[in-house]
Amino acid sequence: MHPLNRRGFLGLTAGLSIAALTGCGTQTPTSAASAPRDGGRLRAAFAGGGAKEVLDPHLANLFVEAARSKALYDKLADLGPDVSAQPRLAEKWEPDATLTRWRITLRQATFHDGRPVRAEDVLASYARILDPNRAFRAKSSLAVIDLANSRAVDERTVEFALQRPFVEFPNVLAAFGAYVVPAGTEDFTSPVGSGPFRFVSFEPGKSVLLKRHGEYWEGAPHLDELEFVIANEESARTNALLGGQVEYAHDLTPTTARGHEAGGRMAIHRAPNSAVQAFAMKLDRPPFDNRDLREALFLLADRPQLVESVLAGSGQVGNDLFGKGYQHYADDIPQRTRDLDRAKFLIRRAGAEGLTVKLDTSTAAAGMVEAATVFADQVKGSGLTIEVVTGNKDSYWSDTLKNGSLSSFRSGAMPIETHVAQRLLSGSGTNVTKWARPEFDALYDRAVSTVDAGRRDEVYREMQRSLHAEGGYLMWGFADWIVGAAPNVGGISTAPANTLDWARFDKVWLG
Amino acid sequence: MSLRRYAARRLALGLVQVLAVVTVVFLLVQALPGDAAVALAGDNPDPKRIEQIRVAMGLDRPPLERFGDWVAGLARGDFGVSLISGRPVVEFLHDGLGPTLVLAALALVLLIPLSVLLGVLAALREGGPLDRAVTTVTVGLHSIPEFALAVVLIALFGVQLRWLPPTAVGADLLGQPAVLVLPLVVLVARPLCSISRLVRAGMIDALASDHVRHARRLGIGVTRVRFAHALPTALAPAVQQVARTTDWLLGGVIVVEAVFVIPGLGTILVDAVAGRDLPVVQGLAVVFAVTTVVVNLVADLLVFRLAPRSVAIA
């Protein structure tokens, strides 16, 4: 629709993020840099879930489901390159003075069957997610909505009533899985959405074929057809791409990227600050209920070495805070570096010399076991001993929430506010570090009810200062998200995974 | 013992075996850490949410009750529905059976004549250069794991030389037979070695046996002696090895399916176990158990025909 504007925007953001975040050159495919071209079928290989795969966007859990949902459906908002909420189906949002009533104006958009997207569809979709008898992923995010008192003002205006003042409400509209479906939809065998692609066919565990939705509100996609195929092994995705069987391979390892960057048969696209890699210490039990020991671990981590060896250089060092490069990130806090002497002193002061701590890890996410092993090595000679215990990968996240005192942790991108709400409040459902402080909860409440953006930012920074000083997350690095593509594929963005521009195929073309 | 009585006894035994396998599978999956709700919750393991998923899936019911319902359904030919996606288990089996059957059947079609031919040729040239060459290659090839062989073949013929597609991603197996070449080579390589070795050994023994010498004394032609008199005796052990290979082809192609991205029963099994999707795992266990029992039954009946004495004694 506006190829020039779009290309300019993408080029600008890509350039900025590379310059600002990586500081080193990321190659862009030369042949694809030519002007966008319409037509063709792009085949994209993702890891899948076999039996788990569904086309119900509210049940989406896997990356492939998120990518497919994005192609078929729209959310009211989605996350921009700095992981702040950007309007999508919602043209604009206006809170009232109390921040408890939000008026949302919908864009003029149509579903694939030609029906307009109405306020009623939005309310019905949210009611489905909030159904007390079901367990959709976005439910906890949407729980702030008082649905009984929300209403459709007219066809294209929704008024949401909230349970409490909440200035970050747009983050809720951008929540993972909060897609808008036509009112009353329960059958997703032939799904209808308002997204840039319409449904053609689905074979669970094998492929989903979609085609261009010509009337998409943001302009029709360049591609005629988009096919998602499933290849669980990373090597299979790489081979399929090298063999010309697919044009896009999602989630490659840094080793693959290094090996094929120069070959010319594959273009490597890195999205910085996509996944945080961390160790989580539990504050409610020994030994890490002792602040000195937490600080000692912070000082024992050799972050550049971890990034170099575990992420094969495809990442940036972390500063024990979530959301590097995101909106509200406290970039003014000095970077922690390794200090063995001070760590030794703190361990002695805590009376923990000779202590052995178990570090729970698993292959549930890439790099976790390797990071645990490297870290155990870095801790040697400090007085502490870390023993790496590899657990079951299918139940790892649930196990680590309850058991142990030190564990591997990894998270994808989300707004800092969401990270805090889900993991760091006394009542949070997935509080791995058991960080529970009334004064911190109060700061959060203050942040989400402060209208003034500058003052709100200051509260976020204060929260991050206390987390940096005393928290339980040792966030040592941020992994790049790596996708490989055929050299003739253009328009692939380098925004962090889980944000709007990640795995976004309506902006991609085959050159 | 008559062939019919023998078959009936084996079938009854087979039914008991299938039930036992299914029960053991149920108990083993129960013993795995976490259940379907935990696996589904993934990296968002909010305990409240896991509890809700558990209730929605009926996992809060006692395991014995769930198992009883499932076995009762099985008696009616109802395999139940997947815990996670709600799709009938029969659909999973149907979807996965196609690719796996294509692979297994083609592998057998290639494997049997090839290994018999190789074994017989080696036996007839016992001690000669051909025999020694075949022995060297088969022993060497047999020691390479499927995974390693697959990786090497893909790197060489798929990626480097680009002669063959490196995976079967998004392909229709029978519509694009080229995608089947590498997987079949990997599947056939090891059993080809073991079966041709067995045929060779059996053939050498048979050629030296009394009844073959007797047949020769009677003046029967060399070809007829070799293929009508010696070969059937030589095949008896090989047939049982083929039966075991068939089990392996159906259940153990997991590696080949994963490396070449062929969405067959192996892939479904791995996904279902990872997701703790019990009805699907049990449905697959039934299919694998029944196949194993039937294939071994057929093999035993064949051996019974080829060499009646060996079975009668057993």
Side-chain angles (χ1 to χ4, degrees), chain A residues 38-110:
Chain A
D38 284 351
R41 175 194 285 195
L42 181 120
R43 291 161 298 180
F46 281 72
K52 280 184 281 203
E53 285 179 29
V54 287
L55 288 180
D56 179 343
H58 299 154
L59 282 174
N61 226 351
L62 311 165
F63 280 120
V64 65
E65 290 169 337
R68 290 198 294 230
S69 299
K70 177 178 291 190
L72 282 165
Y73 303 93
D74 277 312
K75 292 193 274 197
L76 291 183
D78 213 333
L79 302 173
D82 68 345
V83 199
S84 64
Q86 307 291 325
R88 296 295 295 161
L89 260 188
E91 202 166 57
K92 57 176 177 170
W93 43 67
E94 298 151 289
D96 71 354
T98 66
L99 296 174
T100 56
R101 291 198 86 82
W102 287 71
R103 183 176 278 247
I104 285 163
T105 311
L106 298 182
R107 233 171 253 288
Q108 200 137 29
T110 54

Coordinates of all heavy atoms in Angstrom, one line a residue, chain A residues 38-110:
Chain A
D38 N 5.4 -8.1 -5.5 CA 4.2 -8.8 -5.1 C 4.3 -10.2 -5.7 O 4.9 -10.5 -6.7 CB 2.9 -8.2 -5.6 CG 2.6 -7.0 -4.7 OD1 3.3 -6.8 -3.7 OD2 1.7 -6.2 -5.1
G39 N 3.7 -11.2 -5.0 CA 3.5 -12.5 -5.5 C 4.3 -13.6 -4.9 O 5.2 -13.3 -4.1
G40 N 4.0 -14.8 -5.2 CA 4.8 -16.0 -4.8 C 4.3 -16.6 -3.5 O 3.5 -16.0 -2.8
R41 N 4.8 -17.8 -3.2 CA 4.5 -18.5 -2.0 C 5.7 -18.6 -1.1 O 6.8 -19.1 -1.6 CB 3.9 -19.9 -2.3 CG 3.7 -20.7 -1.0 CD 3.5 -22.1 -1.2 NE 2.2 -22.4 -1.8 CZ 1.6 -23.6 -1.8 NH1 2.3 -24.7 -1.3 NH2 0.4 -23.8 -2.3
L42 N 5.6 -18.2 0.1 CA 6.7 -18.3 1.0 C 6.4 -19.5 2.0 O 5.4 -19.6 2.5 CB 6.9 -17.0 1.8 CG 8.1 -17.1 2.8 CD1 9.1 -16.0 2.5 CD2 7.7 -17.0 4.3
R43 N 7.4 -20.4 2.1 CA 7.3 -21.5 3.0 C 8.2 -21.2 4.2 O 9.3 -21.0 4.0 CB 7.7 -22.8 2.3 CG 6.7 -23.3 1.2 CD 7.3 -24.3 0.3 NE 8.4 -23.7 -0.4 CZ 9.2 -24.4 -1.3 NH1 8.9 -25.6 -1.6 NH2 10.2 -23.8 -1.9
A44 N 7.6 -21.3 5.4 CA 8.3 -21.0 6.6 C 8.3 -22.2 7.5 O 7.2 -22.7 7.8 CB 7.6 -19.8 7.3
A45 N 9.5 -22.6 7.9 CA 9.6 -23.8 8.8 C 9.8 -23.3 10.2 O 10.6 -22.5 10.6 CB 10.8 -24.6 8.4
F46 N 8.9 -23.9 11.1 CA 8.9 -23.6 12.5 C 9.0 -25.0 13.3 O 8.6 -26.0 12.7 CB 7.6 -22.9 13.0 CG 7.6 -21.5 12.7 CD1 7.4 -21.0 11.4 CD2 7.7 -20.5 13.7 CE1 7.4 -19.7 11.1 CE2 7.6 -19.2 13.4 CZ 7.4 -18.7 12.1
A47 N 9.4 -24.9 14.5 CA 9.2 -26.1 15.4 C 7.7 -26.1 15.7 O 7.1 -25.1 15.9 CB 10.0 -26.0 16.6
G48 N 7.2 -27.3 15.8 CA 5.7 -27.5 16.1 C 5.5 -28.2 17.4 O 6.4 -28.6 18.1
G49 N 4.2 -28.5 17.6 CA 3.9 -29.3 18.8 C 3.0 -30.5 18.5 O 2.5 -31.1 19.5
G50 N 2.9 -30.9 17.3 CA 2.2 -32.1 16.9 C 0.7 -32.0 17.5 O 0.0 -31.1 17.1
A51 N 0.4 -32.9 18.5 CA -0.9 -32.9 19.0 C -1.3 -31.6 19.6 O -2.5 -31.3 19.6 CB -0.9 -34.0 20.1
K52 N -0.4 -30.8 20.1 CA -0.7 -29.6 20.8 C -1.2 -28.5 19.8 O -1.7 -27.5 20.3 CB 0.5 -29.1 21.6 CG 0.6 -29.8 22.9 CD 1.8 -29.3 23.7 CE 3.1 -29.8 23.2 NZ 4.1 -29.7 24.2
E53 N -0.9 -28.6 18.5 CA -1.1 -27.5 17.6 C -2.6 -27.3 17.4 O -3.4 -28.2 17.2 CB -0.5 -27.8 16.3 CG 1.0 -27.6 16.3 CD 1.6 -27.9 14.9 OE1 0.9 -27.7 13.9 OE2 2.7 -28.4 14.9
V54 N -3.0 -26.0 17.5 CA -4.4 -25.6 17.3 C -4.4 -24.3 16.4 O -3.4 -23.6 16.3 CB -5.1 -25.3 18.6 CG1 -5.4 -26.6 19.3 CG2 -4.3 -24.4 19.5
L55 N -5.5 -24.0 15.9 CA -5.7 -22.7 15.2 C -6.5 -21.8 16.0 O -6.8 -20.7 15.5 CB -6.3 -23.0 13.8 CG -5.4 -23.6 12.8 CD1 -6.1 -23.8 11.4 CD2 -4.1 -22.8 12.5
D56 N -6.9 -22.2 17.2 CA -7.7 -21.3 18.1 C -6.7 -20.3 18.6 O -5.8 -20.7 19.4 CB -8.3 -22.2 19.2 CG -9.1 -21.3 20.2 OD1 -8.8 -20.1 20.2 OD2 -9.9 -21.9 20.9
P57 N -6.8 -19.0 18.2 CA -5.7 -18.1 18.6 C -5.6 -17.9 20.1 O -4.6 -17.5 20.7 CB -6.1 -16.8 17.9 CG -7.6 -16.9 17.7 CD -7.9 -18.3 17.6
H58 N -6.7 -18.1 20.8 CA -6.7 -17.9 22.3 C -5.9 -19.0 23.0 O -5.5 -18.9 24.1 CB -8.1 -17.8 22.8 CG -8.9 -16.6 22.2 ND1 -10.2 -16.6 22.1 CD2 -8.4 -15.5 21.7 CE1 -10.6 -15.5 21.6 NE2 -9.5 -14.8 21.3
L59 N -5.8 -20.2 22.3 CA -5.0 -21.3 22.9 C -3.6 -21.3 22.5 O -2.8 -22.1 22.9 CB -5.7 -22.6 22.4 CG -6.9 -23.1 23.1 CD1 -7.5 -24.3 22.5 CD2 -6.7 -23.4 24.6
A60 N -3.2 -20.3 21.7 CA -1.8 -20.3 21.2 C -0.8 -20.3 22.3 O -1.0 -19.6 23.3 CB -1.6 -19.1 20.3
N61 N 0.2 -21.1 22.1 CA 1.2 -21.3 23.2 C 2.6 -21.3 22.6 O 3.6 -20.9 23.1 CB 0.9 -22.6 23.9 CG 1.0 -22.5 25.4 OD1 1.4 -21.5 25.9 ND2 0.6 -23.6 26.0
L62 N 2.7 -21.9 21.4 CA 4.0 -22.1 20.7 C 4.3 -21.0 19.8 O 3.4 -20.3 19.3 CB 3.9 -23.4 19.9 CG 3.4 -24.7 20.6 CD1 3.1 -25.7 19.6 CD2 4.4 -25.1 21.6
F63 N 5.6 -20.9 19.4 CA 5.9 -19.8 18.5 C 5.2 -19.9 17.2 O 4.7 -18.9 16.6 CB 7.4 -19.8 18.2 CG 8.2 -19.2 19.3 CD1 9.2 -19.9 20.0 CD2 8.0 -17.8 19.6 CE1 9.9 -19.3 21.0 CE2 8.7 -17.2 20.7 CZ 9.7 -18.0 21.3
V64 N 5.0 -21.2 16.7 CA 4.4 -21.3 15.4 C 2.9 -20.9 15.5 O 2.4 -20.3 14.5 CB 4.5 -22.8 14.9 CG1 3.8 -23.8 15.7 CG2 4.0 -22.9 13.4
E65 N 2.3 -21.2 16.6 CA 0.9 -20.8 16.8 C 0.8 -19.3 16.9 O -0.1 -18.7 16.4 CB 0.3 -21.4 18.0 CG 0.2 -22.9 17.9 CD -0.2 -23.6 19.2 OE1 0.1 -23.1 20.3 OE2 -0.7 -24.7 19.1
A66 N 1.8 -18.6 17.6 CA 1.8 -17.2 17.6 C 1.9 -16.6 16.3 O 1.2 -15.6 15.9 CB 2.9 -16.7 18.6
A67 N 2.8 -17.2 15.5 CA 3.1 -16.6 14.1 C 1.8 -16.8 13.2 O 1.5 -15.9 12.5 CB 4.3 -17.3 13.5
R68 N 1.2 -18.0 13.3 CA 0.0 -18.2 12.5 C -1.1 -17.3 13.0 O -1.9 -16.8 12.1 CB -0.4 -19.7 12.7 CG 0.6 -20.6 12.0 CD 0.0 -22.0 11.7 NE -0.3 -22.7 12.9 CZ 0.1 -24.0 13.2 NH1 0.8 -24.6 12.2 NH2 -0.2 -24.6 14.3
S69 N -1.3 -17.2 14.3 CA -2.4 -16.3 14.8 C -2.2 -14.9 14.3 O -3.1 -14.2 13.9 CB -2.3 -16.2 16.3 OG -2.5 -17.5 16.9
K70 N -0.9 -14.4 14.3 CA -0.6 -13.1 13.8 C -1.0 -12.9 12.3 O -1.4 -11.9 11.9 CB 0.9 -12.9 14.0 CG 1.4 -11.6 13.5 CD 2.9 -11.5 13.8 CE 3.1 -11.3 15.3 NZ 4.5 -11.0 15.6
A71 N -0.8 -14.0 11.5 CA -1.2 -13.9 10.1 C -2.7 -13.9 9.9 O -3.2 -13.3 9.0 CB -0.5 -15.1 9.4
L72 N -3.4 -14.6 10.8 CA -4.8 -14.8 10.6 C -5.7 -13.8 11.3 O -6.8 -13.5 10.9 CB -5.3 -16.2 11.0 CG -4.9 -17.4 10.1 CD1 -5.1 -18.7 10.9 CD2 -5.9 -17.4 8.9
Y73 N -5.2 -13.3 12.4 CA -6.0 -12.4 13.3 C -5.3 -11.1 13.6 O -4.1 -11.0 13.3 CB -6.3 -13.2 14.6 CG -7.0 -14.5 14.4 CD1 -6.2 -15.7 14.4 CD2 -8.4 -14.6 14.3 CE1 -6.9 -16.9 14.2 CE2 -9.0 -15.8 14.2 CZ -8.2 -17.0 14.1 OH -8.9 -18.2 14.0
D74 N -6.0 -10.3 14.3 CA -5.5 -9.0 14.8 C -5.7 -8.9 16.3 O -6.7 -9.5 16.8 CB -6.2 -7.8 14.2 CG -5.6 -7.5 12.8 OD1 -4.3 -7.4 12.7 OD2 -6.3 -7.3 11.8
K75 N -4.9 -8.2 17.0 CA -5.1 -7.8 18.4 C -5.5 -6.3 18.3 O -5.2 -5.6 17.3 CB -3.9 -8.0 19.2 CG -3.5 -9.5 19.4 CD -2.5 -9.7 20.5 CE -1.1 -9.5 20.0 NZ -0.1 -10.1 20.9
L76 N -6.0 -5.8 19.4 CA -6.3 -4.4 19.5 C -5.0 -3.6 19.5 O -4.9 -2.5 18.9 CB -7.1 -4.0 20.7 CG -8.5 -4.6 20.8 CD1 -9.3 -4.1 22.0 CD2 -9.3 -4.1 19.5
A77 N -4.0 -4.1 20.1 CA -2.7 -3.5 20.1 C -1.6 -4.5 20.0 O -1.9 -5.7 20.2 CB -2.5 -2.7 21.4
D78 N -0.4 -4.1 19.7 CA 0.7 -5.1 19.7 C 2.0 -4.4 20.1 O 2.0 -3.1 20.2 CB 0.9 -5.8 18.3 CG 1.4 -7.2 18.5 OD1 2.1 -7.5 19.5 OD2 1.1 -8.0 17.6
L79 N 3.1 -5.1 20.3 CA 4.3 -4.5 20.9 C 5.2 -4.0 19.8 O 5.5 -4.7 18.9 CB 5.0 -5.5 21.8 CG 4.1 -6.1 22.9 CD1 4.8 -7.2 23.6 CD2 3.7 -5.0 23.9
G80 N 5.6 -2.8 19.9 CA 6.5 -2.2 19.0 C 8.0 -2.6 19.2 O 8.2 -3.4 20.1
P81 N 8.9 -2.0 18.4 CA 10.3 -2.4 18.6 C 10.9 -2.2 20.0 O 11.8 -2.9 20.4 CB 11.0 -1.5 17.5 CG 10.0 -1.1 16.6 CD 8.7 -1.0 17.4
D82 N 10.4 -1.2 20.7 CA 10.8 -1.0 22.1 C 9.9 -1.7 23.1 O 9.9 -1.4 24.3 CB 11.0 0.5 22.4 CG 9.6 1.2 22.5 OD1 8.6 0.6 22.0 OD2 9.5 2.3 23.0
V83 N 9.1 -2.6 22.6 CA 8.2 -3.4 23.4 C 7.2 -2.5 24.2 O 6.9 -2.8 25.3 CB 9.0 -4.3 24.4 CG1 8.1 -5.5 24.9 CG2 10.2 -5.0 23.6
S84 N 6.8 -1.4 23.6 CA 5.7 -0.7 24.1 C 4.5 -0.9 23.2 O 4.6 -1.3 22.1 CB 6.0 0.8 24.1 OG 6.2 1.3 22.8
A85 N 3.3 -0.8 23.8 CA 2.0 -1.1 23.1 C 1.8 -0.1 22.0 O 1.9 1.1 22.2 CB 0.9 -1.1 24.0
Q86 N 1.5 -0.6 20.8 CA 1.2 0.2 19.6 C -0.2 -0.1 19.1 O -0.6 -1.3 19.1 CB 2.2 -0.1 18.5 CG 3.7 0.0 18.8 CD 4.1 1.4 19.1 OE1 3.6 2.3 18.5 NE2 5.0 1.6 20.1
P87 N -1.0 0.9 18.7 CA -2.3 0.6 18.2 C -2.4 -0.3 17.0 O -1.5 -0.2 16.1 CB -2.9 2.0 17.9 CG -1.9 3.0 18.3 CD -0.6 2.3 18.5
R88 N -3.3 -1.2 17.0 CA -3.5 -2.1 15.8 C -4.9 -2.0 15.4 O -5.3 -1.0 14.7 CB -3.1 -3.5 16.1 CG -1.6 -3.7 16.5 CD -0.7 -3.4 15.3 NE -0.9 -4.3 14.2 CZ -0.5 -4.1 13.0 NH1 0.1 -2.9 12.7 NH2 -0.6 -5.0 12.0
L89 N -5.7 -3.0 15.8 CA -7.2 -2.9 15.5 C -7.8 -1.6 16.2 O -8.7 -1.0 15.7 CB -7.9 -4.1 15.9 CG -8.2 -5.2 14.8 CD1 -9.1 -6.2 15.4 CD2 -8.8 -4.6 13.6
A90 N -7.2 -1.3 17.3 CA -7.7 -0.1 18.0 C -7.0 1.1 17.3 O -5.8 1.1 17.2 CB -7.3 -0.1 19.5
E91 N -7.8 2.0 16.8 CA -7.2 3.2 16.2 C -6.6 4.1 17.2 O -5.5 4.7 17.0 CB -8.3 3.9 15.4 CG -7.8 4.7 14.2 CD -9.0 5.1 13.4 OE1 -9.9 5.7 13.9 OE2 -9.0 4.8 12.2
K92 N -7.3 4.2 18.3 CA -6.8 5.0 19.4 C -7.5 4.6 20.7 O -8.5 3.9 20.7 CB -7.1 6.5 19.2 CG -8.5 6.8 18.9 CD -8.7 8.3 18.8 CE -10.2 8.5 18.5 NZ -10.6 9.9 18.5
W93 N -6.9 4.9 21.8 CA -7.5 4.7 23.2 C -7.4 5.9 24.0 O -6.4 6.7 24.0 CB -6.8 3.5 23.8 CG -5.2 3.5 23.7 CD1 -4.4 4.4 24.3 CD2 -4.4 2.6 23.0 NE1 -3.1 4.1 24.0 CE2 -3.1 3.0 23.2 CE3 -4.8 1.4 22.2 CZ2 -2.0 2.3 22.6 CZ3 -3.7 0.7 21.7 CH2 -2.4 1.1 21.8
E94 N -8.4 6.1 24.8 CA -8.5 7.3 25.7 C -9.0 6.9 27.0 O -10.2 6.5 27.2 CB -9.4 8.4 25.1 CG -9.0 8.9 23.7 CD -10.2 9.4 22.9 OE1 -11.0 8.5 22.5 OE2 -10.4 10.6 22.8
P95 N -8.2 7.0 28.1 CA -8.7 6.8 29.4 C -9.4 8.0 30.0 O -9.2 9.1 29.5 CB -7.4 6.5 30.2 CG -6.4 7.3 29.5 CD -6.8 7.4 28.1
D96 N -10.3 7.8 30.9 CA -10.9 8.9 31.6 C -9.9 9.3 32.7 O -8.9 8.7 32.9 CB -12.3 8.6 32.2 CG -12.3 7.6 33.3 OD1 -11.1 7.1 33.6 OD2 -13.3 7.3 33.9
A97 N -10.3 10.3 33.5 CA -9.4 10.9 34.5 C -9.0 9.9 35.6 O -8.0 9.9 36.2 CB -10.0 12.2 35.1
T98 N -9.9 9.0 35.9 CA -9.7 8.0 36.9 C -8.9 6.8 36.5 O -8.5 5.9 37.3 CB -11.0 7.5 37.5 OG1 -11.6 6.7 36.5 CG2 -11.9 8.6 38.0
L99 N -8.6 6.7 35.2 CA -7.9 5.6 34.6 C -8.6 4.3 34.7 O -8.1 3.2 34.6 CB -6.5 5.4 35.2 CG -5.5 6.5 34.9 CD1 -4.2 6.3 35.7 CD2 -5.2 6.7 33.4
T100 N -9.9 4.3 35.0 CA -10.7 3.1 35.2 C -11.7 2.8 34.1 O -12.3 1.8 34.0 CB -11.5 3.0 36.5 OG1 -12.3 4.2 36.5 CG2 -10.5 3.0 37.7
R101 N -11.8 3.8 33.2 CA -12.7 3.6 32.0 C -11.9 4.0 30.8 O -11.3 5.1 30.7 CB -14.0 4.5 32.1 CG -14.9 4.0 33.2 CD -16.3 4.6 33.0 NE -17.1 3.7 32.1 CZ -17.7 2.6 32.5 NH1 -17.7 2.2 33.7 NH2 -18.4 1.9 31.6
W102 N -11.8 3.1 29.8 CA -11.1 3.3 28.6 C -12.0 3.2 27.4 O -12.7 2.2 27.2 CB -9.9 2.3 28.5 CG -8.8 2.5 29.5 CD1 -8.9 2.3 30.8 CD2 -7.5 3.0 29.2 NE1 -7.7 2.6 31.4 CE2 -6.8 3.0 30.4 CE3 -6.9 3.3 28.0 CZ2 -5.5 3.4 30.5 CZ3 -5.5 3.7 28.1 CH2 -4.8 3.8 29.3
R103 N -11.9 4.3 26.6 CA -12.7 4.3 25.4 C -11.8 4.0 24.2 O -10.8 4.6 24.0 CB -13.3 5.7 25.2 CG -14.3 5.8 24.0 CD -14.9 7.2 24.0 NE -16.0 7.2 24.9 CZ -17.3 7.3 24.5 NH1 -17.6 7.4 23.2 NH2 -18.3 7.3 25.4
I104 N -12.2 2.9 23.5 CA -11.3 2.4 22.4 C -12.1 2.5 21.1 O -13.2 2.1 20.9 CB -10.9 1.0 22.7 CG1 -9.8 1.1 23.7 CG2 -10.3 0.3 21.4 CD1 -9.5 -0.2 24.4
T105 N -11.4 3.2 20.1 CA -12.1 3.3 18.8 C -11.4 2.3 17.8 O -10.2 2.3 17.7 CB -11.8 4.8 18.2 OG1 -12.2 5.7 19.3 CG2 -12.7 5.0 17.0
L106 N -12.3 1.5 17.2 CA -11.8 0.5 16.3 C -11.5 1.1 14.9 O -12.2 2.0 14.5 CB -12.8 -0.6 16.2 CG -13.1 -1.4 17.5 CD1 -14.1 -2.5 17.1 CD2 -11.8 -2.0 18.1
R107 N -10.6 0.5 14.3 CA -10.3 0.8 12.9 C -11.4 0.3 12.0 O -12.1 -0.7 12.4 CB -9.0 0.1 12.5 CG -8.0 0.8 11.9 CD -6.7 0.0 11.8 NE -5.8 0.4 12.8 CZ -5.1 1.5 12.7 NH1 -5.2 2.3 11.7 NH2 -4.2 1.8 13.7
Q108 N -11.5 0.8 10.8 CA -12.4 0.2 9.8 C -11.7 -1.0 9.2 O -10.9 -0.9 8.4 CB -12.7 1.2 8.7 CG -14.0 0.9 8.0 CD -14.8 2.1 7.8 OE1 -14.2 3.2 7.7 NE2 -16.1 2.0 7.7
A109 N -12.1 -2.2 9.8 CA -11.5 -3.4 9.3 C -12.5 -4.5 9.1 O -13.6 -4.4 9.6 CB -10.5 -4.0 10.4
T110 N -12.2 -5.4 8.2 CA -13.2 -6.5 7.9 C -12.6 -7.9 8.2 O -11.4 -8.1 8.0 CB -13.7 -6.4 6.5 OG1 -12.5 -6.5 5.6 CG2 -14.5 -5.2 6.2

